[in-house]
């Protein structure tokens, strides 16, 4: 028989609801519920009991116990009432019962207190009862023998084996598991090496406690295991790095966890069998072989491309494949004489290492809102998009998580960046800026409830390709000039549709398809999310998304009765809306950048818009708003743009995600800069007008004829 969960005391009163009797009904022993208060009466019996007595449940409950009971049975009833129903204590008896075939059976009878519940809500009826479980001694002996045999096998196994209930509590484990994990392995989470903080919200004892905002690899493995074991007979396997105290201090070992869903033979409840194996040495061998193969393949394929730029050395630049430092240069050893050629090589090497250190420092700041993408542009030899995107993919562990082809990812990023037009604003540096802002929103914006790893992959990919091959003209211009992009998209978001179709064509090329190892359904899910996000960057969708953000998310979060507030399931449409709004924030990320970075982007945007205006003049079109070089441009209209377009989006977002309050503060700082500049220009204009008027008056006075004496 299964043991009680840790913490359960003898004498605890069990509540049995009439709607949940299945587990009792399948037991191979006789179980019935009876109340001895006042006139004794039967309440319920399981199938095994009814079969032995050869009666129906209705007939069993209608039995007149006072009429059929013997004097001995009446004395038993009084004792059970006193000890079990009144005293709330269990009682063990040994009895003789008569089978339907008039065969007498010796049974061990366990009586325990319980409350039998019928109905719901206001109609609920609770009856204090005694649950009687009768074990035929013949059956009990067989089960005990079988249990002893299984226990012997369990205890002699050299592998740690544990059995857990589905609420995470230990049922039993063998000595090998105790030796490995200690005497306090009460929760399933212990087998994953999780600390107390990582366990928050996992088990019934602390389910009310909010889960950690950042999921660790161990917590993710635990949740994946519970998802994988949803079906009867299902299995799960994972290798996990676990910290433990070794002979020489803290050390990391790899534990291979194998879990299988089984059924408790007595209660019929699902249980989890977990075995463990130390595969540290095996992982070391596998890892070394993997690194050797990866290094050989990467070096071969990248060298064949004859790259001399940073893109071909991304793995090296980011510390992924053994750059050799001063004392480790090939062909050198301590005491090697220095020649003129080696000195020149050392100078070049030192210069390169200084650049790499500068790049690493720049990438370290990519987790901050105050990020200078122009500094990254300088440190990465003008290739900010490739370097930053590779960095954040590794930061989120996406390559390992989804088994991405890292060589093809490098090639894909090379192609994306090399095909970005050299526009003042819509260029590779802007795309890198949007990738960084998206990354920050994912790690600091409070989106964990709405996005998992697959959504993170889709969001970063969408940011990477959201302006792919942008020509520097807006949608209105493309439509009015009957551009091919407008014709292909039937005048609906021509820029955004082209960015998507061109990027997915590139991804379809064999040397760029870094997603090819992912399951097809995951690839399709990523594609759908990327499409939804990139189409949302069309400014024509701006007000609609802000409106939906208010109605579909903000109002729900402000309603304390909404299940979304209590951690209810989040519909896919709401996840999509959050991702769409997030990329819109990231697409205008320079608005919350440091002032010097923001102003530089504003000037670049103004120049790009003026260039479109120049083309419109050349082809005889009416010049679009803010695109005439001879009139005030974007830099003169920023306060209005921020007030009427940007503030509604960011303020609604912050109402939903308070973690992003810093963004509205940073936008306000830039807003005040433009307002001050606006006031200064008004004052300067007024002063110039006053001076001009004064000069004009003086000229008139000097022009008047003078009269003689």
């Amino acid at each position: 028989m299964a043991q009680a969960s840790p913490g359960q005391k003898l004498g605890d009163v069990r509540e049995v609801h009439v709607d949940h009797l299945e587990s009792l009904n399948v037991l191979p022993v006789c179980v019935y519920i009876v109340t001895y208060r006042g006139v004794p009466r039967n309440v319920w019996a399981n199938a095994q009991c009814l079969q032995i007595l050869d009666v129906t449940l209705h007939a069993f409950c209608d039995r007149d116990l006072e009429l059929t009971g013997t004097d001995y049975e009446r004395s038993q009833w009084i004792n059970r009432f006193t000890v079990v129903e009144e005293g709330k204590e269990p009682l063990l008896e040994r009895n003789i019962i008569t089978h339907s075939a008039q065969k007498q059976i010796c049974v061990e009878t366990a009586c325990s207190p319980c409350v039998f519940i019928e109905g719901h809500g206001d109609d609920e009826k609770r009856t204090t009862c005694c649950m009687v479980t009768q074990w035929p001694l013949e059956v009990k002996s067989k089960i005990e023998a079988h249990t002893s045999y299984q226990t012997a096998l369990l205890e002699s196994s050299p592998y740690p084996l544990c059995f857990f209930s589905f609420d995470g509590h230990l049922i039993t484990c063998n000595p090998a598991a105790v030796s490995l994990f200690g005497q306090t392995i009460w929760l399933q989470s212990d087998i994953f090496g999780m600390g107390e903080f990582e366990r928050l919200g996992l088990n019934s004892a602390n389910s009310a406690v909010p889960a950690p905002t950042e999921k660790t690899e161990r917590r993710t493995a635990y949740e994946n295991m519970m998802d994988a074991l949803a079906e009867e007979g299902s299995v799960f396997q994972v290798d996990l790095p676990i910290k433990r105290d070794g002979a020489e201090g803290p050390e990391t070992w790899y534990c291979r966890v194998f879990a299988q869903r089984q059924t408790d033979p007595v209660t019929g409840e699902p249980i989890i069998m977990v075995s463990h194996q130390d595969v540290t040495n095996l992982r070391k061998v596998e890892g070394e072989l993997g690194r050797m193969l990866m290094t050989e393949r990467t070096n071969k394929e990248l060298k064949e491309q004859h790259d001399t730029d940073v893109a071909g050395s991304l793995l090296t630049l980011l510390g992924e494949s053994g750059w050799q430092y001063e004392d480790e240069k090939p062909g050198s050893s301590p005491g090697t004489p220095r020649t003129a050629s080696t000195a020149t090589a050392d100078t070049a090497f030192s210069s390169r290492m200084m650049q790499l250190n500068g790049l690493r420092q720049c990438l370290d700041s990519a987790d901050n809102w105050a990020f200078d993408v122009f500094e990254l542009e300088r440190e990465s030899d003008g290739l900010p998009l490739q370097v930053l995107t590779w960095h954040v993919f590794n930061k989120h562990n996406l390559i390992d998580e989804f088994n991405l082809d890292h060589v093809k990812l490098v090639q894909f990023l090379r192609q994306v960046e090399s095909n970005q037009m050299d526009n003042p604003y819509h260029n590779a540096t802007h795309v890198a800026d949007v990738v960084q802002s998206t990354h920050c929103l994912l790690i600091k914006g409070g989106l964990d409830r709405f996005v998992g790893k697959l959504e993170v992959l889709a969001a970063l990919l969408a940011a990477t390709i959201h302006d792919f091959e942008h020509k520097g003209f807006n949608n209105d211009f493309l439509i009015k000039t009957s551009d091919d992009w407008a014709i292909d998209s039937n005048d609906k978001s021509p820029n955004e549709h082209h960015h998507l179709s061109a990027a997915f064509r590139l991804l379809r090329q064999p040397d760029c398809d870094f997603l090819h190892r992912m399951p097809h359904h995951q690839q399709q899910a990523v594609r759908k999310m990327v499409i939804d996000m990139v189409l949302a960057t069309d400014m024509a969708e701006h007000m609609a998304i802000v409106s939906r953000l208010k109605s579909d998310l903000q109002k729900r979060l402000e309603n304390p009765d909404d299940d979304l507030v209590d951690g209810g399931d989040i519909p896919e449409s709401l996840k999509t809306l959050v991702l769409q709004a997030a990329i819109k924030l990231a697409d205008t990320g320079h608005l919350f950048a440091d002032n010097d970075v923001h102003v530089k982007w504003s000037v670049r945007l103004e120049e790009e818009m003026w260039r479109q205006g120049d083309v419109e003049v050349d082809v005889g079109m009416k010049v679009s708003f803010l695109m005439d070089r001879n009139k005030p441009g974007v830099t003169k209209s920023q306060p209005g743009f921020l007030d009427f377009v940007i503030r509604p989006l960011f303020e609604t977002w912050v109402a939903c995600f308070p973690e992003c309050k810093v963004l509205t503060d940073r936008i306000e700082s830039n807003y005040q800069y433009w307002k001050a500049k606006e006031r200064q220009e008004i004052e300067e204009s007024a002063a110039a007008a006053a001076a001009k008027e004064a000069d004009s008056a003086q000229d008139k006075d000097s022009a008047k004829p003078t009269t003689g004496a």
Side-chain angles (χ1 to χ4, degrees):
M1 178 179 290
Q3 298 177 13
S5 298
Q8 184 178 355
K9 301 175 183 177
L10 288 176
D12 284 352
V13 179
R14 178 176 182 178
E15 292 189 345
V16 180
H17 198 285
V18 69
D19 293 341
H20 305 109
L21 296 169
E22 296 86 353
S23 60
L24 296 177
N25 211 31
V26 298
L27 291 180
V29 295
C30 180
V31 179
Y32 63 92
I33 298 174
V34 60
T35 177
Y36 299 109
R37 184 178 298 276
V39 178
R41 67 180 179 87
N42 291 327
V43 176
W44 179 86
N46 72 346
Q48 181 72 7
C49 182
L50 297 175
Q51 181 181 352
I52 290 175
L53 299 176
D54 193 22
V55 295
T56 65
L57 179 59
H58 182 73
F60 175 79
C61 294
D62 284 347
R63 272 188 173 182
D64 188 339
L65 299 182
E66 280 287 351
L67 182 63
T68 60
T70 66
D71 291 340
Y72 174 73
E73 287 174 331
R74 289 189 181 93
S75 66
Q76 268 192 331
W77 298 343
I78 294 172
N79 189 43
R80 290 178 183 178
F81 173 74
T82 303
V83 176
V84 180
E85 291 192 39
E86 287 287 306
K88 312 299 183 190
E89 291 294 330
L91 181 65
L92 192 62
E93 304 170 344
R94 185 161 291 188
N95 305 112
I96 302 293
I97 66 171
T98 303
H99 195 276
S100 58
Q102 301 303 311
K103 176 184 177 183
Q104 290 187 324
I105 304 173
C106 183
V107 297
E108 185 175 89
T109 303
C111 304
S112 56
C114 75
V115 175
F116 191 76
I117 305 172
E118 301 172 274
H120 300 275
D122 295 338
D123 298 328
E124 183 178 276
K125 178 183 177 183
R126 303 170 69 90
T127 306
T128 301
C129 299
C130 174
M131 179 185 291
V132 181
T133 305
Q134 294 179 324
W135 287 83
L137 293 183
E138 178 184 356
V139 176
K140 184 172 183 287
S141 299
K142 289 181 179 179
I143 291 179
E144 285 179 345
H146 178 72
T147 301
S148 299
Y149 175 69
Q150 293 294 334
T151 301
L153 288 178
L154 189 68
E155 292 185 350
S156 63
S157 172
Y159 298 108
L161 294 171
C162 303
F163 289 87
F164 292 92
S165 62
F166 258 69
D167 64 358
H169 288 96
L170 178 72
I171 298 173
T172 187
C173 63
N174 66 351
V178 175
S179 173
L180 183 64
F181 296 104
Q183 296 289 341
T184 57
I185 175 174
W186 290 116
L187 301 175
Q188 258 184 22
S189 50
D190 288 347
I191 66 177
F192 290 95
M194 282 194 283
E196 192 64 33
F197 177 71
E198 291 175 279
R199 293 195 188 103
L200 293 181
L202 281 180
N203 301 287
S204 57
N206 54 18
S207 58
V209 181
T213 55
E214 182 175 351
K215 288 188 178 181
T216 63
E217 182 178 4
R218 294 177 294 274
R219 184 184 174 94
T220 300
Y222 174 86
E223 293 176 342
N224 289 343
M225 179 188 76
M226 298 307 292
D227 289 340
L229 299 182
E231 300 294 334
E232 181 68 30
S234 52
V235 297
F236 174 80
Q237 180 176 304
V238 66
D239 288 359
L240 283 176
I242 295 180
K243 300 287 185 182
R244 69 178 175 187
D245 293 330
E248 300 179 358
E251 63 182 13
T252 299
W253 67 291
Y254 280 91
C255 177
R256 178 159 295 170
V257 180
F258 176 82
Q260 182 179 35
R261 175 172 172 150
Q262 298 185 357
T263 300
D264 189 308
V266 175
T267 66
E269 297 291 330
I271 59 175
I272 303 173
M273 184 199 76
V274 179
S275 65
H276 321 79
Q277 183 181 3
D278 186 341
V279 292
T280 306
N281 292 331
L282 178 62
R283 284 296 298 263
K284 287 180 179 178
V285 173
E286 290 174 346
E288 188 60 33
L289 288 173
R291 279 191 292 273
M292 292 169 61
L293 292 173
M294 182 182 294
T295 301
E296 180 182 359
R297 181 180 176 187
T298 301
N299 291 340
K300 179 181 178 181
E301 295 194 18
L302 292 180
K303 286 177 181 178
E304 285 177 352
Q305 297 168 6
H306 302 289
D307 286 337
T308 57
D309 55 21
V310 180
S313 308
L314 276 178
L315 302 180
T316 301
L317 280 173
L318 300 174
E320 298 296 329
S321 61
W323 255 87
Q324 293 172 306
Y325 285 83
E326 188 72 36
D327 296 328
E328 304 174 314
K329 292 192 291 292
S332 67
S333 60
T336 301
R338 286 178 168 270
T339 64
S341 60
T342 59
T344 302
D346 286 349
T347 302
F349 183 85
S350 298
S351 174
R352 188 60 168 168
M353 291 315 302
M354 287 180 62
Q355 180 193 8
L356 291 175
N357 288 332
L359 176 59
R360 290 191 181 95
Q361 291 176 10
C362 185
L363 290 174
D364 285 342
S365 68
D367 293 352
N368 303 323
W369 298 118
F371 178 73
D372 186 352
V373 73
F374 295 113
E375 179 184 357
L376 175 64
E377 186 182 51
R378 292 189 297 272
E379 296 291 350
S380 63
D381 284 346
L383 297 167
L385 178 55
Q386 297 173 62
V387 174
L388 181 68
T389 306
W390 174 266
H391 172 73
V392 297
F393 266 60
N394 277 279
K395 189 86 174 180
H396 290 275
N397 197 35
L398 298 177
I399 296 175
D400 290 338
E401 182 79 22
F402 296 106
N403 193 25
L404 304 182
D405 190 320
H406 68 284
V407 173
K408 294 185 178 183
L409 174 59
V410 171
Q411 180 65 10
F412 176 79
L413 296 177
R414 283 186 71 253
Q415 292 298 325
V416 170
E417 184 148 34
S418 64
N419 282 282
Q420 292 295 149
M421 304 295 184
D422 190 21
N423 302 311
Y425 182 85
H426 287 102
N427 51 38
T429 305
H430 162 70
V431 176
D433 195 40
V434 176
V435 170
Q436 187 273 334
S437 296
T438 302
H439 164 66
C440 262
L441 285 168
L442 290 170
I443 64 171
K444 302 172 71 171
L447 305 187
D448 350 14
R449 277 193 60 205
F450 295 87
V451 300
K453 281 290 189 180
L454 196 66
E455 286 80 13
V456 170
L457 172 60
L460 292 174
L461 179 56
T464 303
I465 61 104
H466 84 281
D467 274 336
F468 186 47
E469 297 184 348
H470 201 295
K471 297 179 180 180
F473 300 112
N474 64 15
N475 283 334
D476 190 51
F477 178 87
L478 298 178
I479 293 170
K480 288 180 178 178
T481 57
S482 297
D483 188 271
D484 286 344
W485 294 4
I487 293 173
D488 292 340
S489 64
N490 295 314
D491 293 348
K492 295 183 185 297
S493 305
N495 267 317
E496 290 72 27
H497 275 104
H498 177 80
H499 303 327
L500 286 164
S501 60
F504 280 111
R505 285 193 191 96
L506 176 63
L507 191 58
R508 195 170 59 184
Q509 294 180 10
D511 59 341
C512 294
D513 184 10
F514 65 92
L515 302 177
H516 69 92
R517 296 172 185 158
M518 289 176 62
H520 181 70
H521 72 276
Q522 285 191 336
Q523 294 189 45
Q524 291 299 104
V526 168
R527 173 175 163 81
K528 182 182 184 304
M529 286 187 280
V530 169
I531 291 173
D532 289 337
M533 291 179 70
V534 173
L535 290 179
T537 61
D538 184 355
M539 283 303 293
E541 302 295 323
H542 183 84
M543 297 312 298
I545 289 177
V546 173
S547 177
R548 286 176 52 214
L549 202 60
K550 287 181 178 179
S551 62
D552 295 357
L553 183 58
Q554 183 181 351
K555 286 186 177 179
R556 291 191 63 180
L557 291 174
E558 291 173 350
N559 180 6
D561 297 328
D562 196 301
D563 62 352
L564 191 64
V565 180
D566 298 330
D569 291 338
I570 300 171
E572 292 301 320
S573 60
L574 203 54
K575 291 182 182 180
T576 298
L577 176 61
V578 169
L579 291 173
Q580 288 176 316
I583 197 171
K584 288 192 68 63
L585 266 69
D587 201 16
T588 55
H590 72 87
L591 296 171
F592 53 78
D594 286 346
N595 184 253
D596 58 331
V597 175
H598 165 60
V599 171
K600 186 179 290 188
W601 277 122
S602 300
V603 171
R604 287 187 172 209
L605 178 59
E606 185 174 60
E607 174 59 28
E608 185 170 305
M609 294 176 71
W610 278 344
R611 290 188 184 184
Q612 177 176 318
D614 294 343
V615 174
E616 290 173 339
V617 170
D618 291 343
V619 298
M621 294 172 58
K622 179 182 177 181
V623 180
S624 302
F625 179 59
L626 298 178
M627 298 189 183
D628 192 335
R629 286 187 183 273
N630 301 314
K631 296 179 181 179
V634 168
T635 58
K636 308 300 182 185
S637 62
Q638 284 289 58
F641 176 70
L642 291 168
D643 275 331
F644 299 109
V645 179
I646 295 303
R647 282 190 194 275
L649 172 63
F650 277 82
E651 288 174 356
T652 304
W653 179 267
V654 169
C656 301
F657 301 100
E659 297 89 341
C660 294
K661 176 64 169 62
V662 63
L663 301 186
T664 53
D665 295 339
R666 294 177 66 83
I667 289 174
E668 179 63 23
S669 176
N670 285 327
Y671 175 81
Q672 293 302 328
Y673 165 82
W674 293 111
K675 292 296 288 185
K677 192 173 181 65
E678 191 178 66
R679 288 193 297 271
Q680 179 183 355
E681 290 175 352
I682 291 174
E683 291 170 0
E684 290 176 353
S685 179
K692 184 176 181 180
E693 185 176 348
D695 290 344
S696 178
Q698 185 177 356
D699 290 342
K700 288 180 181 178
D701 290 342
S702 62
K704 291 180 181 179
T706 56
T707 56

